[in-house]
């Protein structure tokens, strides 16, 4: 409280943020965050982080991070890479290491080309998710709804997820990170249809991995094994998986298992090098076919307290499945985000095993993109065009 008061006395228009080792309920209202302490660089510590993150959130600390890669001693390229993949979906993505002769800093380029490429992909995914996460943070501020939460909160009638902490919900995204040295998947998908997340090329790909495989087991059916070096084949992807289902098998080094349900509307930024570089290009909105959906994209100036006085622009985005139409409407302070506000938009429509992309157009105050879906007689495959 004293830190916040001092900042507001000096720069009253600025937001307060403080990262703390110690924390007590009620501190979040001040703009404080917490991390999980000085953890060891080991696979056991990595496996514990999702559960710690979820427990912190349930205790009233929604903004939590960890020392990605471990703090107390030296990490490894594989461990640091997998930890970065988890970090891309945490409320705070933060790497940290001790300054000692026996611990190499966690700069990506120090860990070999393979690890550096994987870490780069994780960082790029984090920046791609920035408008999505920022909107969920605004929703948290407005309603108190956790955006990172246990599966139990989403599927309270499913006994399989009652004590599950290795997976979690990041808004509408089910995240099931690879947390072991052997790269074995340990994934459970609750009842319903699940698409592989298409937000990044590091998600759900077996490409370049000769001994990778994906084994899908349904509780009341046989196991199905898939093995491929080009799973998505250009603009194609795996069909939705019907849950409940268990997915095992070895994952590729760059694979970050994450899934969304039909009707998911996901706003994504272009890859930028820092948040001040937004918008960096047009807003991409992904739509996963099969159900109606909606999402509120919320923007402000990113620096001041003007949002408390209504300095917020909200873009209500709606997907109507019956007409294959994505529509949107802007309300609030249109100029609130300034030069960092998105001004153009395009839509990716993900249906079955195909992805279709609209042209780029100005956002304006209102707008819509409609896809005309047609099915070819032979072979049986969907085609879509924008009308």
């Amino acid at each position: 409280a004293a830190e916040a008061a001092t900042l507001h006395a000096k720069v009253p228009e600025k937001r307060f943020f403080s990262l703390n080792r110690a924390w007590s309920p009620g501190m979040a209202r001040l703009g404080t965050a917490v991390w999980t302490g000085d953890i060891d660089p080991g696979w056991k510590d990595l496996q514990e982080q999702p559960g710690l993150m979820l427990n912190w959130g349930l205790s009233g600390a929604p903004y939590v991070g960890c020392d990605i890669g471990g703090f107390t001693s030296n990490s490894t390229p594989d461990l640091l890479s997998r930890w970065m993949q988890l970090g891309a979906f945490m409320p705070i993505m933060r790497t940290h290491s001790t300054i000692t002769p026996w611990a190499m800093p966690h700069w990506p380029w120090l860990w070999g080309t393979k690890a550096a490429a994987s870490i780069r992909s994780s960082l790029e995914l984090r920046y791609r998710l920035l408008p999505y996460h920022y909107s969920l943070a605004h929703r948290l501020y407005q309603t108190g709804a956790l955006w990172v939460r246990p599966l139990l909160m989403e599927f309270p009638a499913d006994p399989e997820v009652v004590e599950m902490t290795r997976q979690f919900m990041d808004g509408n995204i089910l995240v099931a990170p690879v947390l072991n040295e052997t790269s074995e998947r340990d994934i459970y998908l609750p009842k319903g249809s699940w698409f592989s997340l298409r937000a990044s090329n590091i998600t759900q790909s077996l490409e370049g991995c000769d001994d990778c495989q994906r084994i899908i087991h349904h509780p009341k059916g046989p196991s199905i094994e898939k093995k491929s070096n080009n799973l998505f084949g250009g603009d194609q992807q795996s069909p939705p998986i019907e849950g409940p289902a268990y997915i095992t098998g070895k994952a590729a080094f760059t694979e970050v298992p994450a899934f969304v349900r039909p009707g998911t509307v996901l706003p994504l930024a272009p890859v930028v090098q820092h948040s001040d570089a937004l918008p960096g290009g047009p807003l991409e909105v992904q739509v996963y076919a099969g159900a109606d959906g909606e999402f509120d994209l919320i923007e402000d100036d990113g620096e001041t307290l003007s949002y408390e006085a209504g300095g917020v622009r909200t873009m209500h985005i709606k997907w109507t499945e019956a007409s294959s139409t994505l529509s949107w409407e802007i309300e609030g302070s249109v100029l609130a985000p300034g030069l960092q506000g998105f001004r153009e938009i395009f839509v990716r429509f993900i249906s079955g095993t195909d992805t279709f992309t609209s042209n780029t157009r100005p956002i304006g105050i209102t707008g819509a993109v409609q896809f005309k879906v047609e099915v070819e007689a032979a072979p049986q495959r969907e085609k879509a065009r924008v009308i």
Side-chain angles (χ1 to χ4, degrees):
E3 291 179 25
T6 301
L7 175 70
H8 293 323
K10 183 70 175 178
V11 193
E13 72 278 8
K14 288 287 187 180
R15 301 178 193 181
F16 174 73
F17 177 81
S18 175
L19 182 63
N20 298 268
R21 181 189 301 272
W23 195 90
S24 61
M27 288 175 62
R29 76 187 191 282
L30 302 173
T32 62
V34 68
W35 87 99
T36 60
D38 294 345
I39 49 180
D40 294 329
W43 292 97
K44 180 177 181 294
D45 289 82
L46 170 60
Q47 292 159 11
E48 291 174 346
Q49 298 314 302
L52 291 171
M53 170 187 68
L54 295 172
N55 283 336
W56 274 111
L58 292 173
S59 71
Y63 293 102
V64 58
C66 65
D67 293 347
I68 290 178
F71 174 76
T72 58
S73 57
N74 208 25
S75 191
T76 69
D78 286 13
L79 179 63
L80 181 58
S81 298
R82 291 298 188 192
W83 216 315
M84 283 284 192
Q85 293 170 4
L86 167 64
F89 294 96
M90 294 184 70
I92 296 177
M93 185 183 189
R94 168 186 169 272
T95 186
H96 190 45
S97 59
T98 184
I99 303 176
T100 59
W102 57 82
M104 188 159 60
H106 294 169
W107 303 116
W109 55 86
L110 297 178
W111 297 88
T113 55
K114 181 183 174 183
S118 174
I119 293 169
R120 177 191 292 272
S121 294
S122 296
L123 292 170
E124 289 178 347
L125 173 60
R126 180 67 173 195
Y127 279 107
R128 292 262 284 150
L129 290 168
L130 204 156
Y132 173 71
H133 283 150
Y134 199 73
S135 299
L136 294 177
H138 260 286
R139 189 184 71 178
L140 170 65
Y141 165 71
Q142 294 167 355
T143 70
L146 289 173
W147 96 66
V148 173
R149 59 199 186 281
L151 265 64
L152 177 62
M153 294 181 68
E154 193 78 6
F155 307 97
D158 190 337
E160 188 72 17
V161 304
V162 170
E163 297 183 3
M164 183 175 290
T165 58
R166 68 180 185 274
Q167 300 176 195
F168 56 91
M169 297 300 298
D170 175 3
N172 296 321
I173 303 171
L174 188 154
V175 184
V178 178
L179 303 174
N180 57 78
E181 192 170 7
T182 58
S183 292
E184 290 293 320
R185 297 183 196 83
D186 186 10
I187 302 170
Y188 172 72
L189 298 180
K191 184 179 180 180
S193 296
W194 295 91
F195 287 88
S196 297
L197 180 67
R198 295 281 286 167
S200 169
N201 64 352
I202 64 173
T203 301
Q204 291 293 85
S205 173
L206 301 181
E207 187 172 354
C209 183
D210 293 335
D211 59 344
C212 290
Q213 62 193 42
R214 181 177 294 113
I215 302 172
I216 304 173
H217 173 69
H218 297 276
K220 296 183 180 180
S223 296
I224 303 172
E225 179 176 337
K226 293 187 177 183
K227 178 174 171 54
S228 172
N229 287 331
N230 190 16
L231 186 64
F232 293 138
D235 219 19
Q236 288 189 317
Q237 62 169 4
S238 291
I241 299 170
E242 292 298 321
Y246 303 88
I247 305 176
T248 58
K250 185 177 179 180
F253 185 67
T254 55
E255 181 179 340
V256 187
F259 306 86
V260 294
R261 287 169 286 184
T264 296
V265 176
L266 181 66
L268 298 169
V271 174
V272 293
Q273 298 303 305
H274 54 92
S275 58
D276 284 344
L278 289 173
L283 176 72
E284 175 184 340
V285 177
Q286 291 190 347
V287 175
Y288 293 81
D292 292 342
E294 58 185 10
F295 189 86
D296 284 345
L297 175 71
I298 304 178
E299 300 172 279
D300 59 27
D301 65 16
E303 291 284 342
T304 74
L305 296 172
S306 63
Y307 66 92
E308 296 181 342
V312 172
R313 182 172 79 179
T314 301
M315 180 178 177
H316 301 291
I317 309 172
K318 181 180 180 180
W319 171 254
T320 303
E321 179 71 14
S323 60
S324 299
T325 302
L326 185 87
S327 58
W328 62 87
E329 182 179 2
I330 300 288
E331 73 169 16
S333 180
V334 174
L335 301 179
L339 295 177
Q340 290 189 311
F342 286 99
R343 297 181 288 277
E344 294 182 312
I345 186 173
F346 70 94
V347 183
R348 289 197 193 278
F349 171 51
I350 299 163
S351 175
T353 59
D354 293 291
T355 300
F356 308 99
T357 305
S358 77
N359 58 352
T360 299
R361 59 190 65 191
I363 289 177
I365 299 299
T366 62
V369 173
Q370 184 177 14
F371 290 86
K372 179 67 174 179
V373 179
E374 303 168 340
V375 179
E376 294 180 339
Q380 287 289 317
R381 180 169 173 179
E382 290 182 337
K383 294 178 63 178
R385 55 188 175 88
V386 179
I387 60 174

